[in-house]
Amino acid sequence: MEKSALQIARAAYQPKLPTALQGAVKAVEGAATQSVGNQEEIKALFPNTYGLPVVEFQSAESENHDPINVGIILSGGQAPGGHNVISGLYDGVKSLNKNSKLYGFLMGPGGLVDHKYVEFTDAFIDEYRNTGGFDIIGSGRTKLEKEEQFESGIQILRELGIQALVIIGGDDSNTNACVLAEYYAAKQYGVQVIGCPKTIDGDLKNEQIETSFGFDTACKTYSELIGNIQRDCNSARKYWHFIKLMGRSASHIALECALQTQPNVCLISEEIEAKQQSLDDVVTYIAQAVAMRAADGNNFGTVLIPEGLIEFIPAIKKLISQLNEILTDPATGEAREFESADAQIAFVKNNTSADNLAVLESLPADVARQLCLDRDPHGNVQVSLIETEKLLSRMVADKLDQWKQEGKFVGKFAAQHHFFGYEGRCAAPSNYDADYCYSLGFNASRLIATGKTGYMSIIKNTTAPAAEWIAGGVPITMMMNIERRNGANKPVIRKALVELDGAPFKFFAGKRDEWARQTAYIYPGPIQYFGPTEVCDQCTRTLALEQAK
Ligand code: FBP
């Protein structure tokens, strides 16, 4: 593979490890734990992996280990740093015993089920150290949830002598990792399962997990792009830029990018839901910012829109939840099949309640059609396909036209549209993600060596220098509750949404009126990999505000 000068220099970067992981470790265990909700139900579903203690690793005298064979899977959307989790795990298992082996299952969980894998070697791993992407083994969205998949998996695990499997994924993949851990423990198959918190969306976090990996690099990449647009916008002074940002449901990415770039408007879905706002309320809010700036002679600006916005507008949320139920076949849990798009739309109209139908029909025709037709294999609305940035700018333009006729708006309004998502998911990991991911992977080898299963690898205190980071594990059942998914109650890891009483949102809310009126843009520039610590090693603003004492 040919490489750029930066790639060559970056390949030589040695990620930092917490002091506790730099030699032999001992596991210090806390008290028995409980799930965050529905304790009795979760306990009954996970009798072998429920109630386990939180673990912290501390330095120990010495350790001797037999060789171990470990497998690893990348699951779901790409996130910067995945390759470093793998290189950290590789170095970790080799440091336990140089004859240990690491296998990678190809193209996501499907690789385990279909027995597609590679064995890592030094040369193979070295090609991918500190690089972005998941291309080392590929990723996929196959859900590991059926007994026949678990049984197929155990065949190849036994064939390769694998004693532990590490699954790198978001909340759903880690929930499934725990189901697999429980299944193998119940069957006494002798295979441990360890999870690792990944997702650029930033919604896999809680008291034990400070942040999911990839969030830092993805947000810095989007913020660089937003900053560039803001500088263009402030130079030409003729466009309003409507920028949709990935993040599926939660608005963490939009909020973090707003904190890094100070746009004129940033919508936070969780606030819109809490305030029970309608689509018209949201449009009016943006139009007011446009009108206010126009009154100052500023016919330009930026609007950040979280990808999941539409699902948080209460009336639309209710509609989508009914669409998800009726478009899922209760017998299979999969999306219902229809002969044609027209047949599907007719089915929706006949099976939707009157109030939901009224909401559907109030939406622009193309959006209504998209809501009825575009589903993922599980019957869910594919929010990333809804062009909210265009929908909102069109509705804002209509409102401003109306205000113009009423003499309430005397400016110009021209919009440009952007969607940032894929641009950031495979960026070369920032120093934060490079170090955090390497530590998560290395730490997973210690969870395996100490016999844990049903745990997620955790690294805490990451706003401090890496040497002071705290390494350990949290039982996955501790993060679970029961939620309704596709017409059934399921044990799942609770997703972290933006907290309206949390420090990041409060900081933003205290500043946004000023940012709306003034042109207070910050232009963060590209991620820096080499240079002073205050330029290269900063964590996200979200994490810094959350951890500020
Ligand atoms: P994960 O939760 O699997 O990490 O994926 C996150 C994400 O990047 C979302 O932000 C986005 O909505 C979705 O994946 C897009 O999925 P796909 O890669 O299948 O287009």
Side-chain angles (χ1 to χ4, degrees):
M1 233 191 287
E2 237 180 300
K3 291 201 172 94
S4 70
L6 176 61
Q7 277 178 300
I8 293 166
R10 194 63 184 154
Y13 176 77
Q14 178 53 50
K16 302 179 195 84
L17 269 183
T19 307
L21 293 180
Q22 287 172 14
V25 300
K26 62 171 188 245
V28 179
E29 301 192 345
T33 57
Q34 286 204 335
S35 58
V36 286
N38 310 88
Q39 286 83 13
E40 288 313 313
E41 285 136 291
I42 305 283
K43 189 175 178 181
L45 288 166
F46 296 90
N48 294 282
T49 48
Y50 188 85
L52 300 170
V54 172
V55 168
E56 186 184 317
F57 291 125
Q58 290 180 3
S59 301
E61 292 292 295
S62 67
E63 53 188 349
N64 282 314
H65 288 278
D66 291 334
I68 44 167
N69 290 358
V70 173
I72 192 159
I73 296 175
L74 290 165
S75 180
Q78 285 68 255
H83 290 166
N84 271 28
V85 179
I86 297 180
S87 60
L89 178 63
Y90 182 82
D91 292 350
V93 296
K94 292 283 182 188
S95 72
L96 290 169
N97 187 306
K98 66 178 177 18
N99 294 319
S100 298
K101 288 182 181 171
L102 180 65
Y103 293 92
F105 289 97
L106 301 178
M107 300 311 292
L112 176 72
V113 180
D114 301 334
H115 301 185
K116 304 236 165 68
Y117 65 90
V118 286
E119 184 184 338
F120 292 109
T121 59
D122 289 353
F124 187 3
I125 289 282
D126 287 350
E127 277 291 305
Y128 290 91
R129 289 182 190 270
N130 309 310
T131 57
F134 276 7
D135 44 318
I136 187 168
I137 45 173
S139 185
R141 291 198 182 276
T142 303
K143 285 185 185 288
L144 270 188
E145 52 190 2
K146 297 191 180 118
E147 220 173 291
E148 60 263 30
Q149 296 173 313
F150 303 164
E151 288 296 332
S152 174
I154 195 68
Q155 284 171 23
I156 188 69
L157 295 173
R158 281 191 179 135
E159 202 176 294
L160 298 171
I162 290 177
Q163 291 129 279
L165 190 60
V166 175
I167 299 182
I168 301 176
D171 51 344
D172 282 345
S173 305
N174 276 288
T175 295
N176 293 339
C178 195
V179 174
L180 186 65
E182 176 64 34
Y183 183 86
Y184 286 168
K187 294 265 178 182
Q188 300 186 326
Y189 283 170
V191 173
Q192 300 157 246
V193 183
I194 301 294
C196 198
K198 169 234 70 169
T199 178
I200 60 159
D201 297 355
D203 56 9
L204 176 49
K205 64 175 175 180
N206 49 47
E207 276 187 15
Q208 301 297 334
I209 299 172
E210 289 187 354
T211 185
S212 55
F213 80 74
F215 177 67
D216 181 82
T217 310
C219 288
K220 284 175 178 158
T221 306
Y222 304 140
S223 296
E224 180 206 349
L225 298 174
I226 295 164
N228 293 350
I229 285 175
Q230 292 193 148
R231 209 145 212 169
D232 193 286
C233 174
N234 196 16
S235 305
R237 305 194 176 193
K238 60 177 181 182
Y239 293 128
W240 272 84
H241 290 267
F242 283 68
I243 306 168
K244 184 171 79 165
L245 291 156
M246 253 192 190
R248 202 187 296 274
S249 303
S251 307
H252 298 293
I253 293 181
L255 177 57
E256 172 62 24
C257 291
L259 294 170
Q260 287 192 30
T261 62
Q262 304 189 176
N264 301 106
V265 174
C266 175
L267 303 173
I268 300 296
S269 308
E270 291 83 343
E271 181 184 29
I272 288 165
E273 180 172 34
K275 290 185 171 165
Q276 296 279 305
Q277 290 181 328
S278 65
L279 188 52
D280 186 60
D281 292 334
V282 175
V283 169
T284 304
Y285 172 67
I286 303 171
Q288 277 166 345
V290 174
M292 187 172 68
R293 286 178 62 77
D296 297 342
N298 294 324
N299 290 301
F300 65 95
T302 46
V303 181
L304 304 190
I305 303 155
E307 183 182 20
L309 174 81
I310 202 98
E311 274 191 292
F312 281 77
I313 295 173
I316 301 180
K317 182 177 185 166
K318 205 167 136 250
L319 164 68
I320 289 177
S321 135
Q322 189 172 39
L323 291 177
N324 283 345
E325 293 255 354
I326 63 174
L327 288 168
T328 305
D329 184 339
T332 61
E334 310 280 306
R336 273 183 202 275
E337 302 279 346
F338 293 92
E339 273 174 13
S340 64
D342 286 346
Q344 185 158 343
I345 291 170
F347 177 85
V348 167
K349 291 197 169 165
N350 289 334
N351 289 279
T352 309
S353 61
D355 54 340
N356 281 340
L357 190 57
V359 173
L360 186 68
E361 287 176 341
S362 73
L363 293 171
D366 52 338
V367 177
R369 204 175 154 80
Q370 228 166 353
L371 280 180
C372 295
L373 295 182
D374 293 325
R375 337 288 307 166
D376 71 11
H378 304 278
N380 294 317
V381 167
Q382 287 185 281
V383 273
S384 60
L385 297 182
I386 297 173
E387 295 183 312
T388 343
E389 67 285 19
K390 292 189 183 154
L391 168 74
L392 288 176
S393 88
R394 206 163 56 189
M395 294 178 84
V396 167
D398 290 347
K399 184 145 304 254
L400 292 170
D401 278 349
Q402 188 194 322
W403 287 357
K404 203 166 231 172
Q405 282 165 25
E406 294 165 5
K408 291 198 238 157
F409 173 62
V410 280
K412 291 186 199 138
F413 177 73
Q416 295 287 349
H417 306 105
H418 315 266
F419 171 37
F420 296 150
Y422 300 101
E423 292 79 352
R425 294 202 313 186
C426 284
S430 61
N431 284 356
Y432 178 89
D433 271 328
D435 296 344
Y436 182 51
C437 291
Y438 185 81
S439 298
L440 282 170
F442 197 97
N443 182 60
S445 74
R446 273 32 189 181
L447 286 168
I448 295 166
T450 48
K452 304 297 175 218
T453 190
Y455 274 76
M456 212 183 297
S457 174
I458 52 167
I459 301 290
K460 298 205 276 193
N461 200 30
T462 62
T463 51
E468 294 163 34
W469 290 4
I470 298 166
V474 56
I476 300 177
T477 52
M478 189 182 174
M479 298 175 269
M480 285 188 173
N481 66 166
I482 301 281
E483 287 175 25
R484 193 143 182 88
R485 299 277 170 93
N486 302 328
N489 289 337
K490 292 209 167 143
V492 290
I493 294 176
R494 189 181 274 175
K495 215 183 246 310
L497 299 177
V498 169
E499 287 178 10
L500 302 182
D501 57 357
F505 178 79
K506 278 191 179 158
F507 182 88
F508 160 75
K511 294 281 183 187
R512 65 178 155 191
D513 290 347
E514 187 186 316
W515 297 348
R517 183 117 215 183
Q518 295 168 13
T519 304
Y521 303 149
I522 293 180
Y523 314 115
I527 295 174
Q528 300 295 307
Y529 300 98
F530 301 101
T533 248
E534 65 276 18
V535 179
C536 302
D537 298 329
Q538 297 308 308
C539 65
T540 57
R541 298 275 295 122
T542 301
L543 188 59
L545 287 163
E546 281 171 349
Q547 302 285 313
K549 301 283 179 305

